[in-house]
Amino acid sequence: MQRRKLGWTELNLSTIGLGTWAMGGGGWKFSWGPQDDRESISTIQRALELGINWIDTAAVYGLGHCEEVVGKAIRGLRNKPTIATKCERVWDKEGNIFGRLKKESIRAEVEASLRRLKIEVIDLYQIHWPEPDEDIEEAWGAIANLIKEGKIRYAGVSNFNIEQLKRIQPIHPVASLQSPFSMLERLIEEKFLEYCSANNTGVIVYSPMQKGLLTGKFNRERVQNLPEDDHRRRDPRFQEPELSANLKLVEELRSIAENSGRTVAQLAITWVLWRPEVTAAIVGARRPSQIEETVVAGEWVLSEEHIAAIEALLDKRQKALNLS
Ligand SMILES: NC(=O)c1ccc[n+]([C@@H]2O[C@H](COP(=O)([O-])OP(=O)(O)OC[C@H]3O[C@@H](n4cnc5c(N)ncnc54)[C@H](OP(=O)(O)O)[C@@H]3O)[C@@H](O)[C@H]2O)c1
């Protein structure tokens, strides 16, 4: 498994990291429908056996549940994987989720994550969303103090814009930016990659398969039959007019992938890793067989011809949706 150094830090991450959002289980606002914890634990353990050396999670996934599942899966392991988790999305008794970046809240969140994950120190602690914007400096200062106290090794952010990155950088150097990046979500290519490279900030990208849409295993019927509490039912990428264009794109990608003896899911992940500024992709899985398929995407290198052929398909989709 290829590894890349995360920005200026000492962390050497496998280019595929395991994403655990769906392992939060069902019944909360951003759930992915029902999920069996035993299946989640087997998936985590299989990912580590396959050479993945880090796991991305968040306090809010399953309102604390996902961190507990990760904690169970890694308990007793001699070689613990690098653990990246996130703060800022907090919730009340009714399960309403909101953003909070006050220093006392960050401290309480770190303690709660350490307890749920059953670890002594969090390797990479990330602010999930910059909300509320006016409190990002306060939260970042609190996180810098928690690094001094030894509860956190490195700190990064997620879903920040460049102006927000510039505001917090003088308080403490930013280890990494976590942003969405897939063939359907390319905002990061405009300025973010260049900024991070210039500042030696690591880049972690999420949803490389666009939440499963770019795997070749979705069709209209499956979208219609997603469980009621699977948040993808409300995601515009899974709804018309985008859905038809996205399913068509997947069919066209399939022939590129199959000509190289690969799958669409592998192609989607390899494509984001083609950018040298990207340190690693977080690849979500909820069953061992899923990560068994996608883990090899980190070993494949796309040719210039592949890149050009994919670019042409993406242009065609943009035009069909009147987006360009
Ligand atoms: N910072 C943030 O705001 C943020 C936001 C989003 C994600 N993330 C992180 O990034 C991770 C990855 O993103 P993501 O989970 O949204 O999307 P993703 O990695 O693009 O897609 C993951 C989903 O695709 C399906 N899948 C995975 N492997 C498959 C395979 N081999 N064949 C068919 N289907 C497969 C699974 O769902 P089904 O089987 O149900 O289809 C899986 O949950 C998350 O888990 C999370 O850790 C962070």
Side-chain angles (χ1 to χ4, degrees):
M1 167 76 68
Q2 251 195 65
R3 292 185 183 188
R4 295 183 190 166
K5 204 159 101 54
L6 184 73
W8 54 267
T9 76
E10 300 287 311
L11 296 176
N12 265 304
L13 302 184
S14 47
T15 51
I16 309 271
L18 181 69
T20 58
W21 181 3
M23 297 180 190
W28 62 290
K29 188 165 179 211
F30 295 100
S31 105
W32 294 58
Q35 173 73 11
D36 182 328
D37 289 348
R38 282 164 307 184
E39 189 103 280
S40 300
I41 290 172
S42 307
T43 307
I44 294 170
Q45 290 172 342
R46 187 71 184 122
L48 301 180
E49 272 168 27
L50 291 167
I52 289 176
N53 72 356
W54 67 287
I55 298 171
D56 180 79
T57 187
V60 75
Y61 297 162
L63 310 184
H65 186 66
C66 189
E67 286 188 333
E68 285 170 358
V69 170
V70 172
K72 277 186 195 147
I74 63 170
R75 191 181 305 164
L77 290 183
R78 213 173 324 134
N79 286 323
K80 284 232 181 356
T82 292
I83 299 292
T85 191
K86 313 185 195 81
C87 59
E88 176 274 333
R89 300 273 90 181
V90 295
W91 58 93
D92 63 17
K93 284 198 190 91
E94 284 76 45
N96 300 306
I97 296 167
F98 48 97
R100 196 161 158 77
L101 286 171
K102 294 289 177 201
K103 56 180 186 299
E104 322 76 58
S105 176
I106 299 290
R107 181 167 287 275
E109 280 210 73
V110 167
E111 296 295 348
S113 286
L114 287 169
R115 222 171 21 246
R116 289 190 290 255
L117 288 160
K118 294 194 166 50
I119 54 177
E120 304 289 312
V121 52
I122 295 167
D123 299 301
L124 180 66
Y125 201 55
Q126 305 154 105
I127 298 183
H128 207 150
W129 287 88
E131 287 171 12
D133 170 82
E134 63 269 25
D135 289 339
I136 61 174
E137 286 91 350
E138 174 169 343
W140 197 244
I143 289 173
N145 284 336
L146 287 155
I147 292 176
K148 283 191 206 119
E149 290 174 32
K151 295 190 188 277
I152 296 171
R153 275 179 79 195
Y154 296 107
V157 295
S158 172
N159 303 305
F160 272 45
N161 63 33
I162 292 178
E163 190 242 323
Q164 291 164 330
L165 287 168
K166 285 183 182 163
R167 276 165 52 197
I168 61 166
Q169 180 75 12
I171 302 170
H172 184 83
V174 180
S176 56
L177 171 68
Q178 183 177 142
S179 293
F181 186 30
S182 77
M183 292 182 196
L184 306 184
E185 179 55 73
R186 302 182 66 176
L187 187 67
I188 194 176
E189 291 171 306
E190 295 167 20
K191 302 207 179 93
F192 284 90
L193 293 179
E194 195 189 328
Y195 173 88
C196 288
S197 206
N199 287 278
N200 210 6
T201 302
V203 177
I204 292 172
V205 299
Y206 70 70
S207 305
M209 300 176 285
Q210 201 63 51
K211 300 183 181 174
L213 200 48
L214 299 177
T215 57
K217 293 173 193 159
F218 259 99
N219 54 31
R220 201 171 301 280
E221 196 189 352
R222 188 169 163 220
V223 172
Q224 276 157 4
N225 291 327
L226 283 171
E228 278 304 320
D229 62 346
D230 190 323
H231 76 283
R232 291 175 292 185
R233 290 176 76 95
R234 310 188 297 269
D235 184 327
R237 308 261 190 231
F238 290 76
Q239 289 170 2
E240 295 303 349
E242 276 210 44
L243 182 62
S244 296
N246 294 341
L247 292 175
K248 184 160 184 283
L249 170 71
V250 169
E251 283 323 303
E252 293 167 330
L253 291 171
R254 196 188 297 277
S255 61
I256 299 182
E258 285 178 357
N259 281 339
S260 303
R262 306 286 175 156
T263 66
V264 178
Q266 291 162 353
L267 181 65
I269 299 163
T270 305
W271 184 83
V272 299
L273 291 173
W274 184 78
R275 291 293 305 231
E277 305 93 329
V278 170
T279 312
I282 319 177
V283 174
R286 53 201 309 185
R287 284 192 286 287
S289 61
Q290 292 185 331
I291 199 67
E292 282 164 4
E293 176 186 338
T294 49
V295 73
V296 295
E299 303 301 326
W300 184 22
V301 180
L302 294 176
S303 65
E304 295 289 341
E305 289 74 29
H306 282 129
I307 294 295
I310 293 167
E311 204 57 49
L313 294 180
L314 298 181
D315 268 359
K316 201 165 92 179
R317 170 186 169 276
Q318 291 277 98
K319 290 198 178 101
L321 287 170
N322 273 329
L323 293 174
S324 48

